[in-house]
Amino acid sequence: DAGVTQSPTHLIKTRGQQVTLRCSPKSGHDTVSWYQQALGQGPQFIFQYYEEEERQRGNFPDRFSGHQFPNYSSELNVNALLLGDSALYLCASSWDRVGETQYFGPGTRLLVL
Amino acid sequence: DQQVKQNSPSLSVQEGRISILNCDYTNSMFDYFLWYKKYPAEGPTFLISISSIKDKNEDGRFTVFLNKSAKHLSLHIVPSQPGDSAVYFCAADPGGGADGLTFGKGTHLIIQP
């Protein structure tokens, strides 16, 4: 049973560019959450998708947007990249039920130059 | 405004002894708490969770204690093993685990031989 997968593993972009990160949830999971982890910090919640809709959002600007597809996979898009967007981006999947655990992928390391 | 705090950036423990990792929270709406373990270049791995209706949960060598009145939880690892060396994150959720998680900054646990 494949766990949560993310692509690409690493990415280098320049300021002002746009980036798309991808996530495939664990088999059977219908909910996908995205987190940003800066160096030396804990993961910070960006948003969560369920039934192809953004259900919950953390304190991130509109430059961060996402999408969920009918097969539950998800994309995170970041526009007008800033140096401060350099971080590890983590995707987590779960079932939409109270008490269900979020399982994380290995992350995508984004470097903005 | 940090709602989940792990005040010890690092902790060194001898192999075979008990490791105790601490976490404090400020948001009384949190009702579900989780501990994740993270190795370098990997995503966080779920360890153990506890609902606010309990004060203790055990899983093998790992036990989590919750003191709601003090807004404090701790993770006990007994006995500590070399493979336990990693960064440990405390996370909290007001939606029973189904919402976006709020993480602490992590504690780097080092198990000494």
Side-chain angles (χ1 to χ4, degrees), chain A residues 31 33 35 37 40-43 45 48 55-56 88 90 96-107, chain B residues 32 34 36 38 41-46 49 89 93-106:
Chain A
T31 303
S33 302
Y35 295 82
Q37 186 179 14
Q41 304 292 317
F45 174 66
Q48 183 180 83
R55 177 165 69 176
Q56 193 184 15
L88 179 68
L90 295 161
D96 180 44
R97 287 198 294 268
V98 168
E100 290 296 333
T101 300
Q102 294 186 29
Y103 291 88
F104 284 82
Chain B
Y32 195 72
L34 308 92
Y36 285 86
K38 189 177 185 301
E42 294 184 13
T45 302
F46 170 72
S49 62
F89 290 100
D93 173 17
D99 291 347
L101 301 174
T102 300
F103 281 83
K105 289 188 176 184

Side-chain angles (χ1 to χ4, degrees), chain A residues 49-65:
Chain A
Y49 275 84
Y50 172 69
E51 290 189 340
E52 301 179 49
E53 301 249 333
E54 182 185 294
R55 177 165 69 176
Q56 193 184 15
R57 190 177 184 95
N59 189 25
F60 278 80
D62 291 345
R63 298 187 297 110
F64 290 77
S65 63

